[in-house]
Amino acid sequence: MMSDKVGLVIISHSPKIGDGVFELIKQVITGVPIAVAAGTDDNQIGTSMEKIIDAITQVDNGNGVLLMYDLGSAKMNAEMAIEFSESANVQLADHIPLVEGSYIAAVEANMGKSLQEIRNSLQKIELTEM
Amino acid sequence: MIILTVEQTKQWMQEIQKRMEANKEQLTALDQAIGDGDHGINMARGFNEVVNKIDDTEYDSVADVLKSAAMTLTAKVGGASGPLYGTAFLKMSMALQDKEVNQQNFKEAIDAALAGIKMRGNAEFGEKTMYDVWYQVAEFLASENVEDWEEMIEACQATIEDTREMVATKGRASYLKERTLGHVDPGSMSSFYIFEALVAVIEVGN
């Protein structure tokens, strides 16, 4: 049933933020593949390329994967994960705030929107500085 | 002439690790002033992992040692330094693939690393980041037929001092804007230790 939907990865420096955003979405959306990649490998504050790659693999079912992130170095690790990942259609929601962006993306993915359609919707909340 | 062998590259990583461990508190203090205060711990942890990894591994080429370091740093450092240093060493590794390390090839590897940091960090020279030190090293290698590597260290030292007078526009420091004035950039400092370590192991040769 989940196989026709875009996958989401929530990337944060903080495991608590990552889990919190996931929880917020799960209250209303259950049909979208979502994985959290938050904190370093030992769950300290930071991000981990390996965790992001694992999360991509977990939610990728051939419909594309969208990566949401919080601060600067999360973006760098996300970009490296995209380069090293075996999944084909993985994109970064660049300059999109994590909480609001993840929520919108989950709602749209649940409607069966394509990766490009979701990215277009997110444009309206794009930050000029991040 | 070969200026860096597999064994010397492993020693380079060990010399970096010693410096990151010895200067952990200094790097952290610099980062507490203008960043998130974890640079010393992150760099020491990252290079401890690199040394653990390479000590237990046999390598056929300098490129393989650098690739191993790159993957470990990306995975273990945590902050922005992980992907940035990971990218730098990975690009060096790619540039040195199937090559021995003479001065020309080394220069090209540094140029590749510099381009990698620029791409990953979206950085320009003079923005108070590690990029400034790597840029200085690339400039030095472009203009000098190296007879004394110490001169490169002196050039890097001057660059670090220059970062004190800059306002950060990249990374966590950029949120502080003018408050970054008067502080040395921690990333340029850790990059300095990487090149100081290099000079401890590299040969002079054309």
Side-chain angles (χ1 to χ4, degrees):
Chain A
M1 178 205 161
M2 275 165 63
S3 62
D4 58 340
K5 290 175 180 153
V6 169
L8 292 183
V9 175
I10 296 162
I11 305 165
S12 173
H13 278 60
S14 155
K16 285 183 183 169
I17 292 178
D19 291 343
V21 174
F22 184 74
E23 214 173 48
L24 186 68
I25 294 170
K26 278 289 163 189
Q27 195 194 14
V28 281
I29 308 282
T30 51
V32 176
I34 302 174
V36 177
T40 60
D41 289 341
D42 47 3
N43 287 325
Q44 301 298 303
I45 296 289
T47 51
S48 152
M49 181 186 72
E50 284 177 18
K51 273 192 177 178
I52 300 169
I53 291 175
D54 289 347
I56 292 171
T57 310
Q58 214 181 309
V59 300
D60 178 25
N61 46 33
N63 301 297
V65 177
L66 188 60
L67 310 185
M68 315 297 303
Y69 67 93
D70 56 4
L71 296 170
S73 61
K75 179 183 176 183
M76 292 182 203
N77 269 322
E79 286 172 345
M80 290 196 83
I82 291 172
E83 286 164 34
F84 285 106
S85 162
E86 317 240 305
S87 298
N89 191 13
V90 185
Q91 295 182 26
L92 190 63
D94 203 3
H95 289 115
I96 304 298
L98 181 69
V99 179
E100 294 84 347
S102 299
Y103 194 87
I104 292 171
V107 170
E108 301 240 331
N110 200 36
M111 295 174 188
K113 297 276 180 74
S114 71
L115 188 49
Q116 191 54 53
E117 286 170 328
I118 297 171
R119 293 202 61 187
N120 291 346
S121 298
L122 290 173
Q123 266 178 6
K124 60 178 178 284
I125 57 163
E126 196 173 311
L127 297 169
T128 51
E129 284 182 44
M130 189 170 179
Chain B
M1 182 191 149
I2 293 174
I3 59 171
L4 201 64
T5 61
V6 169
E7 195 46 45
Q8 284 167 323
T9 309
K10 291 176 90 166
Q11 286 166 6
W12 180 18
M13 296 302 131
Q14 288 153 1
E15 290 293 326
I16 297 172
Q17 184 269 333
K18 282 184 210 162
R19 283 165 178 77
M20 295 305 169
E21 198 58 52
N23 297 293
K24 187 157 69 176
E25 282 170 24
Q26 177 219 24
L27 291 172
T28 290
L30 291 175
D31 198 28
Q32 277 166 345
I34 61 170
D36 48 4
D38 58 3
H39 194 54
I41 296 156
N42 284 348
M43 293 303 285
R45 180 181 56 224
F47 277 96
N48 282 336
E49 296 279 354
V50 168
V51 167
N52 287 342
K53 166 81 181 156
I54 60 172
D55 277 355
D56 295 338
T57 314
E58 289 289 322
Y59 294 99
D60 294 330
S61 70
V62 170
D64 288 349
V65 182
L66 294 174
K67 187 177 181 192
S68 201
M71 300 311 282
T72 305
L73 290 172
T74 304
K76 299 297 178 190
V77 172
S81 319
L84 286 167
Y85 281 119
T87 300
F89 283 105
L90 191 66
K91 296 292 178 186
M92 284 182 84
S93 166
M94 288 160 70
L96 291 170
Q97 201 68 49
D98 303 319
K99 290 178 188 164
E100 58 182 35
V101 187
N102 58 30
Q103 196 173 310
Q104 178 60 29
N105 290 343
F106 187 72
K107 177 202 169 300
E108 286 168 13
I110 292 290
D111 287 345
L114 185 72
I117 297 167
K118 187 188 178 80
M119 177 264 302
R120 183 74 62 215
N122 197 19
E124 299 286 342
F125 181 70
E127 291 183 330
K128 198 182 180 99
T129 72
M130 63 184 276
Y131 183 78
D132 290 359
V133 168
W134 288 75
Y135 183 91
Q136 188 62 56
V137 169
E139 283 281 287
F140 177 83
L141 289 169
S143 60
E144 304 270 329
N145 201 352
V146 180
E147 287 168 1
D148 182 1
W149 284 104
E150 291 294 331
E151 290 169 15
M152 188 176 82
I153 291 305
E154 286 164 23
C156 289
Q157 264 163 341
T159 303
I160 289 166
E161 273 311 304
D162 289 345
T163 68
R164 196 187 289 279
E165 309 307 323
M166 295 172 190
V167 174
T169 57
K170 288 288 183 303
R172 205 67 75 87
S174 65
Y175 295 89
L176 293 171
K177 301 195 173 73
E178 283 74 21
R179 280 175 56 203
T180 59
L181 270 175
H183 297 282
V184 164
D185 170 58
S188 68
M189 197 72 227
S190 59
S191 289
F192 171 79
Y193 292 128
I194 287 174
F195 290 109
E196 192 188 52
L198 175 72
V199 169
V201 302
I202 201 167
E203 310 269 353
V204 172
N206 304 312

